[in-house]
Amino acid sequence: MMEKELWHPVVLSESVTSTPLAGVLLEQPLVLWRDGQGRVQAWGDQCPHRGARLSLGRVCEGRLECPYHGWQFDAVGQCVHVPALPQFVPPATHAVKTFACTERNGLVWVRLAGPGDATLPAFAAEDDAQLRKVNCGPYDVAASAPRIIENFLDMVHFGFVHEGWLGSRDVAQIAEYAVEATPTGLRATGCKAVQPQSNLHSTTAAEVAYTYEVTAPYTAQLTKVPDAASVALQGYRESIGLFICPVTPEQSRVWFRLAVADFTSPDQVLRDFQHTIFTQDQPVLESQSPKRLPLDLRAEVHTAVDKASSAYRRFLKQQNVSFGVIP
Ligand code: FES
Ligand code: FE
């Protein structure tokens, strides 16, 4: 499964502490915790002794202790203490399955398999000091990761799902836009939408210029720049990263990373706007059938304005993505 060789976000960085936390990535149960050096560890959530869930255990002196018989594992997953046999020196076989993990975008990223280095999906706004970053989520969504990416790329639903906010049914027509393939997915440029309430600071309906980019099979970003006269905050622009943990083929955990030219609104106010928008999307997303995205373009019907989603399906097929899709 090629997806195992990619980095995926699994949890907010700030929620990983010295209390073990359970997570699931690509149907692999994980335990996440911080070791004595403050580094995040992501392991299989299964003790090698009798299979108990390590996420029910605790951390003592930088070691993870199993909840069942108290075996302790050091930061590389090696068992270093068996309380029932204090003199026993556990051999290398007495170890937990560990996975590569790192932190970026306020999230913990995990990679289940694969040789050598793999790069994390880019989020272009991350290093832009003019944009403040706030994460929003997680949302547990009963939809496949590719259906969620496709929804993010789709402007055609604005007037219906987000009526009065990102669109209106009276201005549903979509202007011509361009889509090009990139090494990591695709880029859609020249996208325009007339939006009644494009962002937190909108004072009037306005035309908003969008660009979209798929940066990995389950990761995307957009930038939106509203007509300056429509916003109370001078020079307002924003970028939104969509980060998805594919939990099962039909269940996903979703975060948005907001990068906004707004250093004054409280975090919660920024999150509330995004929450309003996404909870409009969620019931429709969860209603889609089949939940797995069909990659055969003959399986669903398309129009010219759906070309970003058709390009996304072609990209997934070309990459041999298998999780959350119907090949
Ligand atoms: Fe973990 Fe026995 S099952 S110590
Ligand atoms: Fe939407």
Side-chain angles (χ1 to χ4, degrees):
M1 198 203 294
M2 69 78 75
E3 301 79 54
K4 284 192 176 175
E5 301 193 7
L6 303 175
W7 289 101
H8 300 281
V10 294
V11 67
L12 284 174
S13 268
E14 66 194 34
S15 38
V16 185
T17 63
S18 57
T19 303
L21 192 72
V24 179
L25 167 61
L26 298 168
E27 297 182 305
Q28 164 68 55
L30 298 174
V31 54
L32 298 131
W33 61 287
R34 271 185 207 276
D35 67 21
Q37 262 77 58
R39 289 173 309 207
V40 178
Q41 299 290 343
W43 297 355
D45 194 8
Q46 186 183 30
C47 179
H49 179 220
R50 292 293 177 266
R53 277 196 187 277
L54 295 167
S55 55
L56 299 176
R58 57 180 191 166
V59 176
C60 339
E61 291 163 12
R63 298 167 176 177
L64 183 57
E65 184 187 89
C66 177
Y68 199 0
H69 310 102
W71 288 22
Q72 291 185 351
F73 300 90
D74 69 10
V76 296
Q78 173 63 40
C79 179
V80 289
H81 182 55
V82 174
L85 280 175
Q87 303 311 321
F88 174 62
V89 179
T93 49
H94 291 37
V96 184
K97 176 88 186 128
T98 62
F99 300 112
C101 104
T102 189
E103 296 179 78
R104 172 99 172 142
N105 315 117
L107 294 160
V108 173
W109 296 75
V110 175
R111 186 174 177 236
L112 296 180
D117 283 343
T119 45
L120 266 65
F123 180 46
E126 191 64 48
D127 302 316
D128 185 338
Q130 308 302 310
L131 297 174
R132 164 185 168 208
K133 315 320 177 289
V134 175
N135 279 359
C136 187
Y139 292 94
D140 286 314
V141 184
S144 64
R147 285 278 192 200
I148 300 168
I149 294 286
E150 215 177 75
N151 166 260
F152 186 77
L153 301 176
D154 180 274
M155 289 190 299
V156 190
H157 73 283
F158 285 172
F160 304 92
V161 175
H162 305 297
E163 188 168 24
W165 294 81
L166 304 185
S168 65
R169 60 175 58 235
D170 308 328
V171 199
Q173 192 175 340
I174 299 292
E176 179 64 20
Y177 64 96
V179 179
E180 58 179 317
T182 68
T184 65
L186 64 92
R187 187 180 299 116
T189 51
C191 310
K192 289 185 201 73
V194 176
Q195 305 195 318
Q197 173 80 41
S198 154
N199 62 68
L200 202 55
H201 304 288
S202 298
T203 50
T204 173
E207 186 171 272
V208 182
Y210 274 79
T211 61
Y212 293 94
E213 198 165 343
V214 172
T215 51
Y218 310 134
T219 307
Q221 60 186 18
L222 65 77
T223 60
K224 51 192 281 189
V225 183
D227 175 7
S230 72
V231 187
L233 211 61
Q234 210 193 342
Y236 187 78
R237 65 191 169 99
E238 66 189 296
S239 187
I240 300 177
L242 169 61
F243 297 110
I244 307 177
C245 175
V247 176
T248 74
E250 302 188 355
Q251 182 74 40
S252 306
R253 184 164 281 192
V254 175
W255 298 267
F256 297 94
R257 185 148 174 89
L258 311 178
V260 292
D262 171 1
F263 286 82
T264 51
S265 303
D267 288 0
Q268 197 53 47
V269 173
L270 297 173
R271 290 193 181 111
D272 286 348
F273 185 86
Q274 185 62 24
H275 181 80
T276 300
I277 301 298
F278 188 64
T279 50
Q280 292 168 345
D281 286 305
Q282 192 169 354
V284 179
L285 263 173
E286 293 183 337
S287 80
Q288 283 178 280
S289 167
K291 288 193 180 293
R292 299 176 201 220
L293 189 73
L295 299 190
D296 183 339
L297 291 181
R298 293 163 303 187
E300 292 183 331
V301 295
H302 314 270
T303 71
V305 293
D306 299 318
K307 65 184 175 185
S309 81
S310 313
Y312 175 58
R313 293 178 190 206
R314 279 195 294 274
F315 164 70
L316 295 181
K317 191 155 191 85
Q318 187 192 77
Q319 296 284 309
N320 289 319
V321 168
S322 62
F323 199 84
V325 302
I326 302 169

PDB file of all heavy atoms in Angstrom, residues 151-152 154 157-158 161-162 166 277-278 280-281, ligand 2:
ATOM      1  N   ASN A 151     -14.213  17.697  -2.008  1.00  0.00           N
ATOM      2  CA  ASN A 151     -15.147  18.725  -1.544  1.00  0.00           C
ATOM      3  C   ASN A 151     -14.434  20.065  -1.362  1.00  0.00           C
ATOM      4  O   ASN A 151     -14.965  21.138  -1.673  1.00  0.00           O
ATOM      5  CB  ASN A 151     -15.790  18.262  -0.225  1.00  0.00           C
ATOM      6  CG  ASN A 151     -16.509  19.379   0.519  1.00  0.00           C
ATOM      7  OD1 ASN A 151     -15.984  19.955   1.467  1.00  0.00           O
ATOM      8  ND2 ASN A 151     -17.707  19.701   0.082  1.00  0.00           N
ATOM      9  N   PHE A 152     -13.196  20.006  -0.872  1.00  0.00           N
ATOM     10  CA  PHE A 152     -12.397  21.219  -0.628  1.00  0.00           C
ATOM     11  C   PHE A 152     -12.067  21.927  -1.947  1.00  0.00           C
ATOM     12  O   PHE A 152     -11.979  23.150  -2.004  1.00  0.00           O
ATOM     13  CB  PHE A 152     -11.127  20.783   0.097  1.00  0.00           C
ATOM     14  CG  PHE A 152     -10.220  21.883   0.585  1.00  0.00           C
ATOM     15  CD1 PHE A 152     -10.519  22.611   1.728  1.00  0.00           C
ATOM     16  CD2 PHE A 152      -9.015  22.154  -0.067  1.00  0.00           C
ATOM     17  CE1 PHE A 152      -9.648  23.585   2.206  1.00  0.00           C
ATOM     18  CE2 PHE A 152      -8.136  23.130   0.407  1.00  0.00           C
ATOM     19  CZ  PHE A 152      -8.458  23.845   1.542  1.00  0.00           C
ATOM     20  N   ASP A 154     -13.932  21.937  -4.564  1.00  0.00           N
ATOM     21  CA  ASP A 154     -15.169  22.119  -5.325  1.00  0.00           C
ATOM     22  C   ASP A 154     -15.804  23.476  -5.013  1.00  0.00           C
ATOM     23  O   ASP A 154     -16.231  23.726  -3.892  1.00  0.00           O
ATOM     24  CB  ASP A 154     -16.122  20.978  -4.938  1.00  0.00           C
ATOM     25  CG  ASP A 154     -17.446  21.041  -5.662  1.00  0.00           C
ATOM     26  OD1 ASP A 154     -18.361  21.739  -5.177  1.00  0.00           O
ATOM     27  OD2 ASP A 154     -17.574  20.397  -6.706  1.00  0.00           O
ATOM     28  N   HIS A 157     -20.369  23.900  -5.192  1.00  0.00           N
ATOM     29  CA  HIS A 157     -21.371  23.708  -4.131  1.00  0.00           C
ATOM     30  C   HIS A 157     -21.602  24.959  -3.285  1.00  0.00           C
ATOM     31  O   HIS A 157     -22.500  24.986  -2.451  1.00  0.00           O
ATOM     32  CB  HIS A 157     -20.976  22.535  -3.229  1.00  0.00           C
ATOM     33  CG  HIS A 157     -19.818  22.807  -2.297  1.00  0.00           C
ATOM     34  ND1 HIS A 157     -18.505  22.832  -2.695  1.00  0.00           N
ATOM     35  CD2 HIS A 157     -19.787  23.061  -0.965  1.00  0.00           C
ATOM     36  CE1 HIS A 157     -17.715  23.075  -1.647  1.00  0.00           C
ATOM     37  NE2 HIS A 157     -18.471  23.221  -0.583  1.00  0.00           N
ATOM     38  N   PHE A 158     -20.797  25.996  -3.486  1.00  0.00           N
ATOM     39  CA  PHE A 158     -20.856  27.164  -2.597  1.00  0.00           C
ATOM     40  C   PHE A 158     -22.273  27.745  -2.468  1.00  0.00           C
ATOM     41  O   PHE A 158     -22.724  28.060  -1.378  1.00  0.00           O
ATOM     42  CB  PHE A 158     -19.919  28.274  -3.102  1.00  0.00           C
ATOM     43  CG  PHE A 158     -18.446  28.018  -2.855  1.00  0.00           C
ATOM     44  CD1 PHE A 158     -17.496  28.875  -3.409  1.00  0.00           C
ATOM     45  CD2 PHE A 158     -17.997  26.956  -2.082  1.00  0.00           C
ATOM     46  CE1 PHE A 158     -16.132  28.680  -3.191  1.00  0.00           C
ATOM     47  CE2 PHE A 158     -16.636  26.747  -1.862  1.00  0.00           C
ATOM     48  CZ  PHE A 158     -15.701  27.618  -2.420  1.00  0.00           C
ATOM     49  N   VAL A 161     -24.590  24.597  -0.521  1.00  0.00           N
ATOM     50  CA  VAL A 161     -24.209  24.146   0.827  1.00  0.00           C
ATOM     51  C   VAL A 161     -23.884  25.344   1.730  1.00  0.00           C
ATOM     52  O   VAL A 161     -24.174  25.322   2.925  1.00  0.00           O
ATOM     53  CB  VAL A 161     -23.003  23.187   0.741  1.00  0.00           C
ATOM     54  CG1 VAL A 161     -22.500  22.803   2.121  1.00  0.00           C
ATOM     55  CG2 VAL A 161     -23.379  21.936  -0.051  1.00  0.00           C
ATOM     56  N   HIS A 162     -23.305  26.390   1.146  1.00  0.00           N
ATOM     57  CA  HIS A 162     -22.861  27.540   1.951  1.00  0.00           C
ATOM     58  C   HIS A 162     -23.650  28.796   1.570  1.00  0.00           C
ATOM     59  O   HIS A 162     -23.101  29.901   1.556  1.00  0.00           O
ATOM     60  CB  HIS A 162     -21.368  27.791   1.753  1.00  0.00           C
ATOM     61  CG  HIS A 162     -20.506  26.591   2.029  1.00  0.00           C
ATOM     62  ND1 HIS A 162     -20.419  25.997   3.268  1.00  0.00           N
ATOM     63  CD2 HIS A 162     -19.703  25.863   1.212  1.00  0.00           C
ATOM     64  CE1 HIS A 162     -19.574  24.960   3.203  1.00  0.00           C
ATOM     65  NE2 HIS A 162     -19.148  24.848   1.968  1.00  0.00           N
ATOM     66  N   LEU A 166     -20.585  31.486   1.521  1.00  0.00           N
ATOM     67  CA  LEU A 166     -19.591  31.441   0.440  1.00  0.00           C
ATOM     68  C   LEU A 166     -20.239  31.512  -0.943  1.00  0.00           C
ATOM     69  O   LEU A 166     -19.535  31.425  -1.952  1.00  0.00           O
ATOM     70  CB  LEU A 166     -18.742  30.165   0.546  1.00  0.00           C
ATOM     71  CG  LEU A 166     -18.019  29.943   1.878  1.00  0.00           C
ATOM     72  CD1 LEU A 166     -17.128  28.715   1.802  1.00  0.00           C
ATOM     73  CD2 LEU A 166     -17.199  31.163   2.282  1.00  0.00           C
ATOM     74  N   ILE A 277     -18.555  26.923   8.501  1.00  0.00           N
ATOM     75  CA  ILE A 277     -18.461  26.476   7.111  1.00  0.00           C
ATOM     76  C   ILE A 277     -18.367  24.952   7.038  1.00  0.00           C
ATOM     77  O   ILE A 277     -19.101  24.295   6.290  1.00  0.00           O
ATOM     78  CB  ILE A 277     -17.228  27.120   6.411  1.00  0.00           C
ATOM     79  CG1 ILE A 277     -17.324  28.651   6.427  1.00  0.00           C
ATOM     80  CG2 ILE A 277     -17.063  26.580   4.989  1.00  0.00           C
ATOM     81  CD1 ILE A 277     -18.501  29.237   5.694  1.00  0.00           C
ATOM     82  N   PHE A 278     -17.476  24.365   7.830  1.00  0.00           N
ATOM     83  CA  PHE A 278     -17.262  22.920   7.662  1.00  0.00           C
ATOM     84  C   PHE A 278     -18.460  22.104   8.140  1.00  0.00           C
ATOM     85  O   PHE A 278     -18.752  21.044   7.574  1.00  0.00           O
ATOM     86  CB  PHE A 278     -15.970  22.440   8.338  1.00  0.00           C
ATOM     87  CG  PHE A 278     -15.691  20.999   7.987  1.00  0.00           C
ATOM     88  CD1 PHE A 278     -15.426  20.627   6.667  1.00  0.00           C
ATOM     89  CD2 PHE A 278     -15.763  20.002   8.946  1.00  0.00           C
ATOM     90  CE1 PHE A 278     -15.226  19.299   6.317  1.00  0.00           C
ATOM     91  CE2 PHE A 278     -15.557  18.661   8.606  1.00  0.00           C
ATOM     92  CZ  PHE A 278     -15.285  18.309   7.292  1.00  0.00           C
ATOM     93  N   GLN A 280     -21.385  22.862   7.650  1.00  0.00           N
ATOM     94  CA  GLN A 280     -22.321  22.858   6.518  1.00  0.00           C
ATOM     95  C   GLN A 280     -21.932  21.769   5.518  1.00  0.00           C
ATOM     96  O   GLN A 280     -22.785  21.100   4.941  1.00  0.00           O
ATOM     97  CB  GLN A 280     -22.319  24.243   5.829  1.00  0.00           C
ATOM     98  CG  GLN A 280     -22.912  25.343   6.698  1.00  0.00           C
ATOM     99  CD  GLN A 280     -22.655  26.756   6.169  1.00  0.00           C
ATOM    100  OE1 GLN A 280     -21.807  26.979   5.293  1.00  0.00           O
ATOM    101  NE2 GLN A 280     -23.376  27.724   6.720  1.00  0.00           N
ATOM    102  N   ASP A 281     -20.634  21.570   5.325  1.00  0.00           N
ATOM    103  CA  ASP A 281     -20.158  20.535   4.398  1.00  0.00           C
ATOM    104  C   ASP A 281     -20.385  19.113   4.923  1.00  0.00           C
ATOM    105  O   ASP A 281     -20.667  18.200   4.147  1.00  0.00           O
ATOM    106  CB  ASP A 281     -18.640  20.672   4.163  1.00  0.00           C
ATOM    107  CG  ASP A 281     -18.286  21.851   3.282  1.00  0.00           C
ATOM    108  OD1 ASP A 281     -18.820  21.922   2.164  1.00  0.00           O
ATOM    109  OD2 ASP A 281     -17.470  22.691   3.711  1.00  0.00           O
TER     110      ASP A 281
HETATM  111 FE    FE B   2     -17.739  23.505   1.372  1.00  0.00          FE
END
